[in-house]
């Protein structure tokens, strides 16, 4: 069943993330664009996704790949025009694909007109729209707080007054080119409500809210304690913002969804964002960061579902995105968890093992209750590119770590579509520039063209799994029940007949009695499920659940 006509589509949708710089380049400048996306929309419809989320496409100096927005109501010329975005939205809707855009409310670009006006004079009223503050010490030369950026490094930069003397400092939780808005100011609130209307009026079906838990700050600017509540993450005041956004979204027909990027360790605090009058959904970073380990995954799934149930929000299942090491690479490492703190170069990865596990993880994440996300290239089995020449790296996270952290470029390499050599159809043959990040020569086997029609490929596995998910409404929102199996195996039922089994043990396990084998992530040996393999089965009825003893 497609979710196209369902106003509650966001509860069970399969959402594909497009990173516009790296999806498809129609004009040959080596950077993806909206025209390239429009040419490839049929691929997404064919893949069977319900919705497409676009990472930021607005005018931006690109200090943080577009997450530094200088105009929220237009399209960066490198990507195209506003008219093209409108046509893209219409094209997507014709193909029954919903459109989700990325709104960045915590901060803008330092090139944003408000910030430029604020910098121009200490008396400018625009100063109030940001966090300008005198420094500490007699000459104000010490930053107002020692808050550390999630990007690493300082969160304050000192300004220079028009007369050349050192001035106040401004807050930027991310890079210095990303000044934080002051959400206590009514003009900031009104501006963003207007921006939301601007895009919802253009037919956008959902908003992904960047850094959603960071908008409110403690105005007393206390230091961040090593443990306990942060003065800039997850303050209670943030909820009123989302309540007003929800009222706004609810005024539109057809089910417009608000989806938060909420990285919080506390499940209760996380669920607070999903109360019925706040956001519709939020990304599940616990699942993304979880080890490839049956007990850890079972606990994560249980905790996730338990946290969402009281607020009646759908869980989301995310394996990769534009900020994290691709999961083919993660799952091939000895330590299969993800955390920014542990993201370091030179950690060996067995990509064959990682790919086998990623295939099993696809069947797992696509059959859990709720909505699921696919990050572009995941369906091609792309791995993290770890050997990008230093001089080509662009991510501020890399530079701000003093080069210790490889940054996020390795998961942002342009997609391979076809052909035997780079640019693999990402750019046209007569392109004037190479892809903005170099593609590995080995991706010739991972192009969409090379995989199409090959039943053993990752692409065909995703296509088959998504087709089954669409045909089987019980696979979206709804209940699941665990089946009694050995500890290092996951087995659950999603409907009276549908069962998923994932073998995370080191030895083959027998399949439970079944009437039909719908799909498996790898070849089965007789009726045995090999290690790191998953299978979807139909059973005769609810009773025969336990696998036969081996
Ligand atoms: C979010 C985005 C990330 C960006 C950051 C600052 O975490 O996903 O890419 O760098 O916000 O905007």
């Amino acid at each position: 069943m497609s979710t196209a006509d369902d106003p509650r589509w966001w509860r069970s949708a399969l959402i594909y993330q497009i990173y516009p710089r790296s999806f498809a380049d129609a004009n040959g400048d080596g950077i993806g664009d909206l025209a390239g996306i429009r040419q490839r929309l049929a691929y997404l419809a064919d893949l069977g996704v319900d919705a497409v989320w676009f990472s930021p496409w607005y005018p931006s100096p690109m200090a943080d790949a577009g997450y530094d927005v200088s105009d929220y109501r237009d399209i960066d010329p490198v990507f195209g025009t506003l008219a093209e975005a409108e046509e893209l939205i219409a094209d997507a809707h014709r193909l029954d694909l919903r459109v989700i855009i990325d709104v960045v409310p915590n901060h803008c670009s330092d090139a944003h007109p408000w910030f430029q006006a604020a910098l121009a004079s200490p008396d400018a009223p625009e100063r109030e729209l940001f966090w300008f503050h005198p420094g500490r010490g007699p000459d104000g030369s010490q930053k107002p707080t020692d808050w550390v950026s999630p990007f690493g490094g300082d969160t304050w930069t000192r300004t220079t007054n028009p007369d050349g003397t050192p001035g106040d400092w401004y807050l930027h939780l991310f890079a210095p080119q990303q000044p934080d808005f002051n959400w206590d100011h009514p003009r900031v609130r009104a501006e963003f409500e207007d921006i939301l209307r601007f895009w919802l009026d253009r037919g956008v079906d959902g908003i992904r809210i960047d850094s959603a838990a960071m908008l409110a700050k403690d105005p007393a600017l206390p230091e961040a304690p090593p443990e306990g509540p942060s003065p800039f993450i997850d303050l209670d005041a943030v909820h009123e913002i989302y309540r007003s956004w929800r009222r706004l979204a609810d005024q539109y027909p057809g089910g417009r969804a608000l989806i938060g990027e909420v990285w919080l360790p506390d499940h209760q605090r996380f669920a607070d964002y999903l109360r019925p009058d706040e956001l519709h959904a939020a990304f599940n970073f616990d699942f993304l960061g979880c080890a490839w380990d049956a007990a850890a995954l079972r606990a994560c799934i249980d905790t996730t579902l338990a946290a969402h149930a009281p607020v009646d929000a759908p869980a989301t299942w995310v394996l990769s995105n534009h900020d994290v090491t691709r999961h083919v690479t993660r799952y091939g490492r000895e330590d299969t968890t993800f955390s920014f703190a542990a993201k370091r170069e030179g950690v060996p990865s067995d990509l064959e093992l990682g790919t086998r596990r990623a295939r099993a993880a696809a069947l797992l994440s696509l059959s859990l209750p709720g909505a699921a996300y696919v990050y572009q290239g995941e369906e091609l089995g792309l791995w993290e590119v770890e050997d990008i020449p230093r001089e080509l790296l662009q991510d501020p996270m890399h530079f701000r770590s003093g080069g210790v952290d490889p940054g996020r470029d390795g998961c942002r390499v342009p997609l391979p579509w076809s052909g035997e050599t780079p640019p693999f159809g990402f750019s046209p043959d007569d392109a004037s520039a190479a892809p903005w990040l170099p593609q590995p020569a080995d991706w010739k086997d991972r192009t969409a063209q090379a995989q199409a029609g090959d039943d053993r490929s990752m692409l065909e596995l995703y296509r088959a799994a998504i087709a089954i998910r669409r045909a089987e409404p019980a696979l979206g929102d709804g209940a699941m029940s665990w089946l009694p199996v050995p500890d290092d195996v996951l087995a659950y039922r999603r409907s009276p007949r549908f069962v998923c089994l994932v073998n995370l043990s080191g030895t083959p396990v027998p399949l439970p009695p079944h009437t039909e084998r719908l799909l498996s992530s790898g070849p089965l040996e007789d009726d045995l499920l090999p290690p790191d393999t998953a299978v979807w089965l139909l059973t005769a009825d609810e009773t025969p659940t336990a696998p036969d003893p081996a």
Side-chain angles (χ1 to χ4, degrees), residues 17 19 53 55-56 64-68 102 104 106-107 150-151 173-175 178 208-212 214 261 263 285 321-323 340 395-397 408 412:
Q17 180 187 358
Y19 194 70
W53 149 33
S55 279
D64 183 19
Y67 282 94
D68 48 320
D102 209 319
V104 187
N106 179 67
H107 48 268
F151 275 2
L173 291 182
F174 294 94
Q178 295 169 294
R208 180 262 187 191
I209 306 164
D210 187 72
S211 306
M214 299 170 94
E261 187 206 16
W263 295 84
F285 293 115
N321 69 23
H322 66 293
D323 289 329
F340 282 108
D395 182 15
M397 222 165 176
R408 301 164 294 178
R412 298 174 176 181

Side-chain angles (χ1 to χ4, degrees), residues 302-325:
D302 280 341
T303 317
T304 298
L305 296 176
H308 286 73
V311 284
D312 189 28
T316 65
W317 308 100
V318 191
L319 293 168
S320 279
N321 69 23
H322 66 293
D323 289 329
V324 308
T325 311

Side-chain angles (χ1 to χ4, degrees), residues 46-72:
D46 186 50
L47 183 59
V49 307
D50 299 302
V52 183
W53 149 33
F54 296 98
S55 279
W57 51 16
Y58 316 101
S60 164
M62 305 286 168
D64 183 19
Y67 282 94
D68 48 320
V69 180
S70 55
D71 179 355
Y72 290 83

Side-chain angles (χ1 to χ4, degrees), residues 453-490:
D454 176 354
D455 285 347
R456 294 157 311 166
S457 71
M458 188 72 94
L459 178 57
E460 292 301 344
L461 178 75
Y462 269 79
R463 281 190 181 148
I466 295 169
I468 294 170
R469 182 182 163 99
R470 281 171 86 96
E472 184 72 56
L475 284 194
D477 204 13
M480 74 173 266
S481 51
W482 293 110
L483 302 179
V485 285
D487 281 352
D488 40 14
V489 177
L490 299 176

Side-chain angles (χ1 to χ4, degrees), residues 223-246:
E223 283 308 337
E227 313 244 326
S230 158
F232 59 85
I233 300 175
D234 188 36
L235 274 71
D236 289 337
V238 80
H239 293 284
E240 186 44 42
I241 300 170
Y242 297 130
R243 280 193 277 268
S244 75
W245 286 25
R246 179 63 177 258

